[in-house]
Every structure is written in C-alpha cells, then in structure tokens.
Amino acid sequence: MSKLQAVRGMNDILPDEAERWEAFETVVRDWLRAYGYRPIRMPLLEHTPLFKRAIGEVTDIVEKEMYSFEDALNGENLTLRPEGTASCVRAITEHNLLYDSPRKLWYMGPMFRHERPQKGRYRQFHQVGVEALGYAGPDIDAELIIMCQRLWDDLDLMGIKLEINSLGSPEERLRHRAELISYFEAHETALDEDARRRLHSNPLRILDTKNPAMQTLVEAAPKLSDYLGSESTDHFAAIQERLLAANIPFRINPRLVRGLDYYNLTVFEWVTDQLGAQGTVCAGGRYDGLIAQLGGKPAPAAGFAMGVERLMSLWNTVQADALIERPEAYVVHSGAGAEAAAFRLAEQLRDAGFATLMHCGGGSFKSQMKRADASGADVALILGEDEVRADEVTFKPLRGGEQVRVSRGEVAQQLAMLLLGGGDADDEEETAFTLQ
Ligand code: ATP
Ligand code: MG
C-alpha cells in the first residue's frame, strides 16, 4: 500500500520542534501578560461572508487563497480562517465584549491559505494575533509597536526592522484612489495584466507590484501621503514621536499598503533580511472601520499578527536539547508482583511532584536499564522480587552517585536529596536545581 502523506504545505511539528514551540509560547504568554492582554480562542471555521466582508472581495486572500467549501450536511458556506482579526471582531461583537470598556485580546493558532508552499510560506501556518479594541490611538498604536520590540529582545532576535506608513482616512484614500486610477489610466499600456485587472477594483495594490518593469511607473504615481489631512498626519506624527522616545528606529515606507482592506491610518511591518523572500515576521495596523462593518457598534481598533514559523526559524539561538524536560525517575521492574509495585511507586512519586517514567513493554533487566539511561532520568528505581517482598527500592543514580537500597516511603526524599546535590551530583546540576 502506498504511504499516506500530509497535505501539501501543511506541516507536522515533531517532538523536538514542538518542544521549542512550547518554549516560544511560554515567552509569548509572559510577554502578553506584561502588557495586559487576555486570551481569546475562536473557531477555525467561520461563515465565508465574514472574511469576504472583512478582508475585502478583491484581495489576494479572498480571491485565491481561501479554503472554502459547502457543508455537505446543511449547505452552509464555510471557510477555514485565513487570519484571526475578522473572527476576533466577530466574536467580540457577538458577545458584546466592548459594552463597558476597551479590550486587549490575543490568540495563537493555525491559519489556512492556499498559497504556493515555499520556505516561510505554508498552507497551514500559525499566527500570534494581538488586538487592542476600543482604542483610538495614537498611544496604543505606538505601544503595539513598542511591545513587538520587547518580544524581539526577550527572544534575543536581532536585525528585525520596522517599517511604518499611514493609509489616512477612508475619504482621503478615496480621493487618492481616484487620482491613482486617472494616473494609471493615462499609462494603461505600461500596465501588466495583474495591474490592469486591479485598476478599477483595487488600484492601491498596484503600488505593491513586484514586477520590475512597472517600478518607474509606480514610483511616479500620486502618493497617498500628499492626500492626508491634518488629523491623519498628526496621528502619524504622534506615533513617530513615541517611537523616537522609545528608541525604536523605523523607516517610513510609503508603499506599505498591506493586503487586507480593513486598515486605515497606521500600518506597520517588521522585516528581516535573514529569511530570504519571506522576510516579514509581523504585520499590523489600525482598523477603525471593521467593527461597524461587521455589524458591531462603531469602535476604533488596532492590532497585528506575527508569523510563528518565520519567528521560529529566526529563533535558533535556543537549542532543543536545553529545552527537553527529562524525567527525574525511571522505574525498572521484574519478577512476580513487581509491575503492580512499580505502578504504585510511580504514582507515589508523581504525587510528590517528580516526573516519572514507568517502564512499559517488558524486557530483560539489562534492556530496561538501557532505556532508563537513554531517557535522561536522574535515577533508576529498581523493583525486583526481593525489593517487593521487603517493601524497598533499589535507588541507582544514573548521573553519578552511590547505589543504595531504601524503604519505599523514603524514595521521594532520597530523590529530592539527589537533585539538591546531596548525592554525588556534579556542580552544574546543583546550580541548575537550586536556581529553579
Ligand atoms: P506576505 O506578504 O508574506 O504574504 P501577508 O501580508 O499575507 O504576508 P498577513 O496577512 O499580514 O501576511 O499575516 C501576518 C504574518 O503572518 C505575516 O507577516 C507572516 O509572518 C505570516 N504569514 C502570512 N502568510 C503566511 C504563510 N502562508 N505562511 C507562513 N506565514 C505566513
Ligand atoms: Mg500573503
């Protein structure tokens, strides 16, 4: 029979890697708590119109990247979420979470987009999403950016650079859009197929083109910044002031427009050149219109999403080895009645807080001891017929120290002493333990 394989672009995260992910998630949770963000968990499936309305009909995501299908049982049109903001706004509106105060929320989990898989670009990928709902900024916009810098520091990541831009208000964008359309219409022969398709539906996205032949045309196009009114420019200036005060370098990138329609005013991206073509590790901005657009009471909001896979490939300073939680004890048993005694002993040690591996699967004493050693445990606890009869355990330290025989009731205490360095444990282990 042919071997079964995962769906293209959807990855298994195997134990060594999964342990690194867990360590990353711990750093992320602590970081979010430090800024007062609370968790929210949304379903992976939503009604398709949610994303069409939130992200925009003529965006890459909605046009060609969504996993949408009709539920065979009831005919509903459903979509695997391609991003989290739409679902989050749907949830806070549905549950009326903004009725008395603003909310700072975060989530983490898989997102789905039908893209061409390559390094840093997958069909199931993971995001950490952070949303500040009910805040008009610019203080919160600045804090959202400043908190990213803290995470890079917490993770020891270097060389992640900030780009910012302002998209202004919807009215300013409309005026700019009209000018942009006339400009591109006047140069229609110079447009590629993609640009021509977008000319009347989403001309702003033409500015984002990667086609070298169109660069000069795009450079000379009407600039949105020339259409911003004083409120928008003040908002943008206020953010920059706060970034300067926080010592965060940034580059204003007038061509940063983002691929989702819901943004206004502030947009930003954190970019690295250490990941090849997929260099954006975090992206976000303000989306003041979205809540009302999805049927909620109008309220301002801003947020960002980070790509976990991209951050994980930067975060290689932490070795998987250092993260693996090894068991403290490994219970070896052979002979009549020994298995039952081993089960009891293992549970007793877990009661005392020790991670304990109970040998399963039988085998000779020698092969069990080999497993015990390979597990990385500090001690093998041996139960033979002899020990069981005497209600004792042979306590064999695996990383140095004398083998002793102790009564069953004393095992936990003996193990605690060994871990504290009371045995012959070397200095390194001693420090490691006392520091915890
Ligand atoms: P890109 O320009 O790389 O396609 P995007 O603008 O589509 O990114 P967003 O929707 O803003 O991305 O998502 C935020 C972050 O999620 C991105 O900056 C990136 O780190 C990550 N991300 C987006 N799409 C993918 C994907 N297909 N695979 C892995 N990570 C992704
Ligand atoms: Mg994309």
Side-chain angles (χ1 to χ4, degrees), residues 10 15 66 75 77 261 268 270 296 340 342 372 409:
M10 307 208 175
M66 294 206 306
N77 290 314
D261 274 0
F268 62 90
W270 290 92

Side-chain angles (χ1 to χ4, degrees), residues 60-61 65 113 115 121 205 310:
D60 279 353
I61 294 178
E65 295 174 359
R113 297 184 194 175
E115 308 200 64
R121 189 174 296 286
R205 284 292 275 169
R310 294 184 194 177

Side-chain angles (χ1 to χ4, degrees), residues 33 40 94 114 117 138 143 174-175 183 209 224 238 358 365 397:
R33 220 184 346 253
I40 181 168
E94 185 168 337
H114 201 283
E143 194 190 58
L174 269 181
R175 246 181 294 132
Y183 170 82
T209 179
L224 177 59
M358 145 95 186
F365 174 72

Side-chain angles (χ1 to χ4, degrees), residues 2 6 15 123 162 175 317 332 378 436:
S2 64
R123 291 181 174 173
L162 174 63
R175 246 181 294 132
T317 46
V332 164
D378 297 283
Q436 280 167 1

Side-chain angles (χ1 to χ4, degrees), residues 113 115 120-122 125 127 258 260 280-283 305-307 310:
R113 297 184 194 175
E115 308 200 64
R121 189 174 296 286
Y122 309 102
F125 62 100
Q127 286 184 337
R258 313 279 308 111
L260 302 93
T280 305
V281 295
C282 174
M306 307 184 305
R310 294 184 194 177

Side-chain angles (χ1 to χ4, degrees), residues 11-195:
N11 302 313
D12 297 308
I13 301 166
L14 302 177
D16 280 351
E17 194 55 14
E19 266 158 357
R20 292 184 64 230
W21 277 58
E22 289 193 351
F24 172 84
E25 287 161 11
T26 303
V27 176
V28 165
R29 281 201 182 86
D30 290 346
W31 161 70
L32 287 158
R33 220 184 346 253
Y35 284 87
Y37 283 82
R38 296 182 62 200
I40 181 168
R41 300 184 185 210
M42 296 86 64
L44 302 192
L45 274 180
E46 297 276 0
H47 294 290
T48 304
L50 170 67
F51 300 114
K52 291 194 172 169
R53 244 158 90 182
I55 300 168
E57 295 269 3
V58 285
T59 55
D60 279 353
I61 294 178
V62 171
E63 274 183 345
K64 50 190 186 199
E65 295 174 359
M66 294 206 306
Y67 283 93
S68 300
F69 59 94
E70 192 182 296
D71 186 325
L73 297 180
N74 61 11
E76 285 184 316
N77 290 314
L78 303 177
T79 293
L80 275 168
R81 65 178 187 193
E83 56 106 52
T85 303
S87 311
C88 182
V89 167
R90 197 260 318 130
I92 59 122
T93 304
E94 185 168 337
H95 301 286
N96 201 20
L97 287 197
L98 288 186
Y99 77 99
D100 64 344
S101 67
R103 293 273 182 171
K104 290 174 154 184
L105 301 175
W106 74 275
Y107 47 84
M108 170 153 57
M111 306 292 162
F112 304 85
R113 297 184 194 175
H114 201 283
E115 308 200 64
R116 194 171 68 77
Q118 51 199 292
K119 186 175 177 293
R121 189 174 296 286
Y122 309 102
R123 291 181 174 173
Q124 174 176 324
F125 62 100
H126 297 74
Q127 286 184 337
V128 174
V130 177
E131 319 283 359
L133 303 135
Y135 294 89
D139 47 2
I140 201 86
D141 307 43
E143 194 190 58
L144 284 166
I145 293 171
I146 291 167
M147 71 189 279
C148 291
Q149 180 60 56
R150 178 178 293 275
L151 182 63
W152 316 148
D153 293 346
D154 288 351
L155 294 169
D156 260 332
L157 302 182
M158 313 284 195
I160 304 183
K161 299 203 172 103
L162 174 63
E163 300 198 344
I164 58 174
N165 190 23
S166 176
L167 300 182
S169 69
E171 299 72 36
E172 290 155 0
R173 281 169 78 176
L174 269 181
R175 246 181 294 132
H176 171 244
R177 188 190 138 103
E179 287 301 313
L180 209 54
I181 292 177
S182 337
Y183 170 82
F184 283 129
E185 275 173 348
H187 297 87
E188 194 153 0
T189 48
L191 298 181
D192 63 13
E193 195 195 321
D194 219 29

Side-chain angles (χ1 to χ4, degrees), residues 227-256:
Y227 293 78
L228 299 190
S230 63
E231 253 181 67
S232 296
T233 45
D234 288 352
H235 189 102
F236 197 35
I239 292 167
Q240 294 174 47
E241 216 173 87
R242 285 166 176 79
L243 295 178
L244 287 170
N247 262 326
I248 296 181
F250 57 85
R251 185 174 83 90
I252 297 175
N253 176 359
R255 290 180 51 191
L256 186 62

